[in-house]
Structures are given as C-alpha cells and as structure tokens.
Amino acid sequence: AQSVTQLGSHVSVSEGALVLLRCNYSSSVPPYLFWYVQYPNQGLQLLLKYTSAATLVKGINGFEAEFKKSETSFHLTKPSAHMSDAAEYFCAVSDPGAGNNRKLIWGLGTSLAVNP
Amino acid sequence: DAGVTQSPTHLIKTRGQQVTLRCSPKSGHDTVSWYQQALGQGPQFIFQYYEEEERQRGNFPDRFSGHQFPNYSSELNVNALLLGDSALYLCASSLTGLAYEQYFGPGTRLTVT
C-alpha cells in the first residue's frame, strides 16, 4: 500500500535561511509525487509535482523538490525563506492502482514557521 | 477563469442532524473529489465522482454520500452527524486521466455540537 511520511510536524527557520521539508514515500510502483501548501483558513494549492519526467522539479514561489528513488524521498527546498512562506505543507503520492482516476494519499503535514 | 468554489464557508450543526455541502469545479474539469481534514491532520479521501457516479471511495461510513450533477458540480451529504464529523471539508476538481492533479476549493468548515 502507498504511504507518505513527513518528518517533522513543525519546522522553524529564519527569514532568508534555507527551507528543507522532508517527505518519504513507500510505493511498489513508480509513484507520482506532489507538494501542496495550505495557508491559514484556505484550501490546498499545488506547489509542484513529479510525474516521472525530470527528477528535479521546480514549482511556484521559488520551491523545488528532487525525486530520489534510491532514498524513496521527495524533499521540498527553497534557498531563502520569506515571511509569506509560513504555512502548512503537505506531501502526497498518487495511488497507481486506480487507473486514470488516481486518488491522492497524504502525509500529515509540516507546519513551517518563518522568524524575522 | 473561476476556480473551485464551495458553499457554505462555515456551518454549525447539532449531533444527529444532516448536512449538505456543495462544490463547483474549476472550469473544464469533470472529476470531483471530496476530502475531510480534521484539525492538525492531513486530508482524508472520502470519495470521487466522475460522470455522475461514485468511482472511488475511501474508508468512510455510508453516512457519507454524494452526488454529481450533469454540470459536474457535486454535493456531499452527511447523515446522523457525530461530534467527530467536525472538520474542514475540501472539494477538489480535476480532469479525467489527470485526476492526481487536483485543484482545491477553500473548504467548508463544519462544526458539530
């Protein structure tokens, strides 16, 4: 069965510092992987996705993630944190067993705080 | 281009009551998925609708039911509400074949007292 583990439920960085949010997955087949961001009292917004093309994926707001099959990881990074990056971040993996209409399986989320 | 819209924004219900939540998908999308997000948790998949039929279902009881209309909009119905049903209910729309690339609405915050 597919699963996603996000290491660290809370991450705190200083403004301008590197952001690293960790995500590991388990999958018996090559997965599709996603990072979503959720700002307070809002829905989820797709940051970036990996769908078996380039392993280094660039997303919105300066974020990027690298798919590492050997480590079953898809960590999210941003070189320099901005105050507006404070939010909840979710890693998700698609379930390949449902044909074209794949559902997403979600991690528990990582809350990112950015300190001035 | 209108994104995914949900109504109402907030709702307060009493245990045992029934509730209906509504979702209009992003223009051009034909698949709607519903998720429950409890406070401090990740989204939990409830079910997915395509061509007016439930195509996939998560681990939720039959108290949770849905419907999709010919215009692709969707409703989520919850009967016999329990305190544990209090959560943010998220609707996501997508295009068939790309159902993993989902666009989310702002959610409906349901409080059961």
Side-chain angles (χ1 to χ4, degrees), chain B residues 6 9 16-17 30 58 69 101 104:
Chain B
Q6 292 185 245
T9 305
Q17 286 188 316
D30 57 6
F69 299 93
E101 187 166 334
F104 284 80

PDB file of all heavy atoms in Angstrom, chain B residues 6 9 16-17 30 58 69 101 104:
ATOM      1  N   GLN B   6     -16.829  26.510  -3.130  1.00  0.00           N
ATOM      2  CA  GLN B   6     -17.561  25.671  -2.186  1.00  0.00           C
ATOM      3  C   GLN B   6     -18.504  26.534  -1.362  1.00  0.00           C
ATOM      4  O   GLN B   6     -18.198  27.690  -1.066  1.00  0.00           O
ATOM      5  CB  GLN B   6     -16.601  24.938  -1.230  1.00  0.00           C
ATOM      6  CG  GLN B   6     -15.754  23.888  -1.914  1.00  0.00           C
ATOM      7  CD  GLN B   6     -14.908  23.107  -0.923  1.00  0.00           C
ATOM      8  OE1 GLN B   6     -13.683  23.175  -0.943  1.00  0.00           O
ATOM      9  NE2 GLN B   6     -15.576  22.360  -0.041  1.00  0.00           N
ATOM     10  N   THR B   9     -19.337  28.516   3.578  1.00  0.00           N
ATOM     11  CA  THR B   9     -17.977  28.632   4.098  1.00  0.00           C
ATOM     12  C   THR B   9     -17.873  27.997   5.480  1.00  0.00           C
ATOM     13  O   THR B   9     -16.900  27.299   5.793  1.00  0.00           O
ATOM     14  CB  THR B   9     -17.567  30.111   4.186  1.00  0.00           C
ATOM     15  OG1 THR B   9     -17.744  30.696   2.915  1.00  0.00           O
ATOM     16  CG2 THR B   9     -16.127  30.235   4.620  1.00  0.00           C
ATOM     17  N   GLY B  16     -26.730  14.366  15.152  1.00  0.00           N
ATOM     18  CA  GLY B  16     -27.910  13.705  14.649  1.00  0.00           C
ATOM     19  C   GLY B  16     -28.521  14.368  13.420  1.00  0.00           C
ATOM     20  O   GLY B  16     -29.308  13.742  12.702  1.00  0.00           O
ATOM     21  N   GLN B  17     -28.136  15.619  13.189  1.00  0.00           N
ATOM     22  CA  GLN B  17     -28.671  16.313  12.019  1.00  0.00           C
ATOM     23  C   GLN B  17     -27.990  15.847  10.739  1.00  0.00           C
ATOM     24  O   GLN B  17     -27.036  15.061  10.748  1.00  0.00           O
ATOM     25  CB  GLN B  17     -28.494  17.832  12.184  1.00  0.00           C
ATOM     26  CG  GLN B  17     -29.452  18.457  13.176  1.00  0.00           C
ATOM     27  CD  GLN B  17     -29.364  19.970  13.152  1.00  0.00           C
ATOM     28  OE1 GLN B  17     -28.278  20.559  13.119  1.00  0.00           O
ATOM     29  NE2 GLN B  17     -30.518  20.622  13.186  1.00  0.00           N
ATOM     30  N   ASP B  30     -13.985  17.728 -14.940  1.00  0.00           N
ATOM     31  CA  ASP B  30     -15.158  16.862 -14.905  1.00  0.00           C
ATOM     32  C   ASP B  30     -15.145  15.869 -13.741  1.00  0.00           C
ATOM     33  O   ASP B  30     -16.079  15.093 -13.580  1.00  0.00           O
ATOM     34  CB  ASP B  30     -15.279  16.090 -16.226  1.00  0.00           C
ATOM     35  CG  ASP B  30     -14.028  15.276 -16.540  1.00  0.00           C
ATOM     36  OD1 ASP B  30     -13.100  15.209 -15.678  1.00  0.00           O
ATOM     37  OD2 ASP B  30     -13.963  14.715 -17.644  1.00  0.00           O
ATOM     38  N   GLY B  58     -13.100   6.221  -0.094  1.00  0.00           N
ATOM     39  CA  GLY B  58     -12.178   5.991   0.995  1.00  0.00           C
ATOM     40  C   GLY B  58     -12.872   5.252   2.127  1.00  0.00           C
ATOM     41  O   GLY B  58     -13.989   4.749   1.988  1.00  0.00           O
ATOM     42  N   PHE B  69     -23.752  16.279 -10.512  1.00  0.00           N
ATOM     43  CA  PHE B  69     -24.779  16.726 -11.450  1.00  0.00           C
ATOM     44  C   PHE B  69     -24.224  16.796 -12.868  1.00  0.00           C
ATOM     45  O   PHE B  69     -23.011  16.780 -13.064  1.00  0.00           O
ATOM     46  CB  PHE B  69     -25.312  18.078 -10.993  1.00  0.00           C
ATOM     47  CG  PHE B  69     -25.939  18.039  -9.630  1.00  0.00           C
ATOM     48  CD1 PHE B  69     -25.191  18.339  -8.500  1.00  0.00           C
ATOM     49  CD2 PHE B  69     -27.266  17.677  -9.460  1.00  0.00           C
ATOM     50  CE1 PHE B  69     -25.755  18.284  -7.235  1.00  0.00           C
ATOM     51  CE2 PHE B  69     -27.830  17.623  -8.201  1.00  0.00           C
ATOM     52  CZ  PHE B  69     -27.078  17.915  -7.085  1.00  0.00           C
ATOM     53  N   GLU B 101      -3.840  15.487 -10.441  1.00  0.00           N
ATOM     54  CA  GLU B 101      -3.536  16.916 -10.425  1.00  0.00           C
ATOM     55  C   GLU B 101      -4.815  17.646 -10.049  1.00  0.00           C
ATOM     56  O   GLU B 101      -5.635  17.980 -10.896  1.00  0.00           O
ATOM     57  CB  GLU B 101      -3.025  17.375 -11.789  1.00  0.00           C
ATOM     58  CG  GLU B 101      -2.533  18.802 -11.781  1.00  0.00           C
ATOM     59  CD  GLU B 101      -1.723  19.141 -13.021  1.00  0.00           C
ATOM     60  OE1 GLU B 101      -1.129  18.222 -13.618  1.00  0.00           O
ATOM     61  OE2 GLU B 101      -1.692  20.324 -13.394  1.00  0.00           O
ATOM     62  N   PHE B 104      -8.003  22.623  -5.468  1.00  0.00           N
ATOM     63  CA  PHE B 104      -8.847  22.612  -4.293  1.00  0.00           C
ATOM     64  C   PHE B 104      -9.630  23.904  -4.126  1.00  0.00           C
ATOM     65  O   PHE B 104      -9.148  24.992  -4.443  1.00  0.00           O
ATOM     66  CB  PHE B 104      -8.001  22.388  -3.045  1.00  0.00           C
ATOM     67  CG  PHE B 104      -7.564  20.968  -2.877  1.00  0.00           C
ATOM     68  CD1 PHE B 104      -6.486  20.466  -3.592  1.00  0.00           C
ATOM     69  CD2 PHE B 104      -8.238  20.117  -2.013  1.00  0.00           C
ATOM     70  CE1 PHE B 104      -6.083  19.142  -3.447  1.00  0.00           C
ATOM     71  CE2 PHE B 104      -7.840  18.796  -1.861  1.00  0.00           C
ATOM     72  CZ  PHE B 104      -6.767  18.315  -2.578  1.00  0.00           C
TER      73      PHE B 104
END
